[in-house]
Amino acid sequence: GQQLNQSPQSMFIQEGEDVSMNCTSSSIFNTWLWYKQDPGEGPVLLIALYKAGELTSNGRLTAQFGITRKDSFLNISASIPSDVGIYFCAGPNAGGTSYGKLTFGQGTILTVHP
Amino acid sequence: DARVTQTPRHKVTEMGQEVTMRCQPILGHNTVFWYRQTMMQGLELLAYFRNRAPLDDSGMPKDRFSAEMPDATLATLKIQPSEPRDSAVYFCASGWRGDTLGHNEQFFGPGTRLTVL
């Protein structure tokens, strides 16, 4: 089945630093979604990407849909303590686009030191 | 502010007891997904529905788990009998899909943290 590989698995950074994480797939995706999960809460959708090469921003967050359609990147600029959490990438399963079923990456755990 | 709601938020029960978790999808959404999250396995899809019909429950242990949508505003996930290995956080998510159109975004509820002793 489809797999999404996220890297890095975890990051420890200082407040104010920029963060970059990525997600790769063995197969082509036509949608990339990025979620953030705060401790004790459900994942919250941050950014949705629908076109190869698309670059989309949401505040200090910027995500890109790779041209090969097999990868995506999420960048966070000037990190703050509330950026702490787990970041997931996700995309629709092959053959499952009519159902909206998603495959999720393993997540990147972000820790921000004040 | 449209959100997916889930009840209860926390549940502690003893092995062998029945557990029922409830989810209210966002009004107007026609797809509902149940996930289980553990440290070891991450997010696992258990079952999903479109227009209240179950499309896939292959991720669910059939002998003890069951999922239903009695109506468009309520989805339930039941475990009977519960076992310690069922301890996890269970999430419900909703979205919208037509036959060929629609977005892939799913919107998650806050989860039910289940502990089976």
Side-chain angles (χ1 to χ4, degrees):
Chain A
Q2 285 179 293
Q3 284 189 333
L4 292 181
N5 295 308
Q6 260 185 271
S7 64
Q9 288 190 340
S10 61
M11 302 181 74
F12 298 84
I13 62 170
Q14 291 292 129
E15 183 177 359
E17 288 184 3
D18 296 344
V19 172
S20 186
M21 60 190 80
N22 70 75
C23 198
T24 60
S25 168
S26 56
S27 54
I28 289 173
F29 275 59
N30 58 20
T31 300
W32 284 97
L33 306 174
W34 284 94
Y35 287 85
K36 182 197 176 196
Q37 185 176 18
D38 289 329
E41 299 295 330
V44 173
L45 181 65
L46 298 173
I47 292 179
L49 302 162
Y50 287 99
K51 251 197 289 192
E54 180 181 354
L55 188 72
T56 297
S57 293
N58 179 6
R60 293 178 296 106
L61 276 61
T62 302
Q64 183 160 25
F65 193 140
I67 291 177
T68 65
R69 295 170 64 190
K70 290 186 177 182
D71 58 7
S72 180
F73 304 87
L74 176 69
N75 296 314
I76 305 173
S77 62
S79 59
I80 59 178
S82 61
D83 291 333
V84 163
I86 306 176
Y87 291 80
F88 292 99
C89 62
N93 282 26
T97 53
S98 62
Y99 301 132
K101 189 174 170 182
L102 296 176
T103 297
F104 283 83
Q106 314 96 308
T108 293
I109 301 171
L110 178 64
T111 303
V112 180
H113 294 288
Chain B
D1 186 20
R3 296 184 188 189
V4 175
T5 58
Q6 288 186 248
T7 57
R9 289 295 310 272
H10 302 273
K11 177 73 176 178
V12 180
T13 190
E14 292 188 347
M15 182 173 64
Q17 296 297 305
E18 177 179 299
V19 174
T20 298
M21 291 168 270
R22 293 177 174 79
C23 166
Q24 182 171 14
I26 292 173
L27 189 65
H29 282 184
N30 67 344
T31 56
V32 172
F33 304 80
W34 282 105
Y35 291 90
R36 175 170 61 186
Q37 186 178 42
T38 62
M39 289 292 291
M40 296 300 294
Q41 300 295 330
L43 271 169
E44 303 173 90
L45 180 65
L46 298 175
Y48 66 103
F49 295 77
R50 185 160 72 110
N51 297 326
R52 295 178 55 200
L55 291 187
D56 186 353
D57 60 2
S58 59
M60 208 162 63
K62 300 289 189 307
D63 56 339
R64 298 183 300 107
F65 285 59
S66 62
E68 296 180 347
M69 278 201 76
D71 62 60
T73 64
L74 177 64
T76 61
L77 180 65
K78 190 176 295 187
I79 309 174
Q80 168 63 22
S82 58
E83 297 180 2
R85 59 181 166 151
D86 300 330
S87 297
V89 181
Y90 291 81
F91 289 106
C92 172
S94 72
W96 187 88
R97 292 296 300 185
D99 287 333
T100 57
L101 298 176
H103 299 290
N104 292 300
E105 295 101 329
Q106 294 178 19
F107 297 87
F108 283 76
T112 294
R113 181 173 294 276
L114 174 65
T115 302
V116 183
L117 302 174

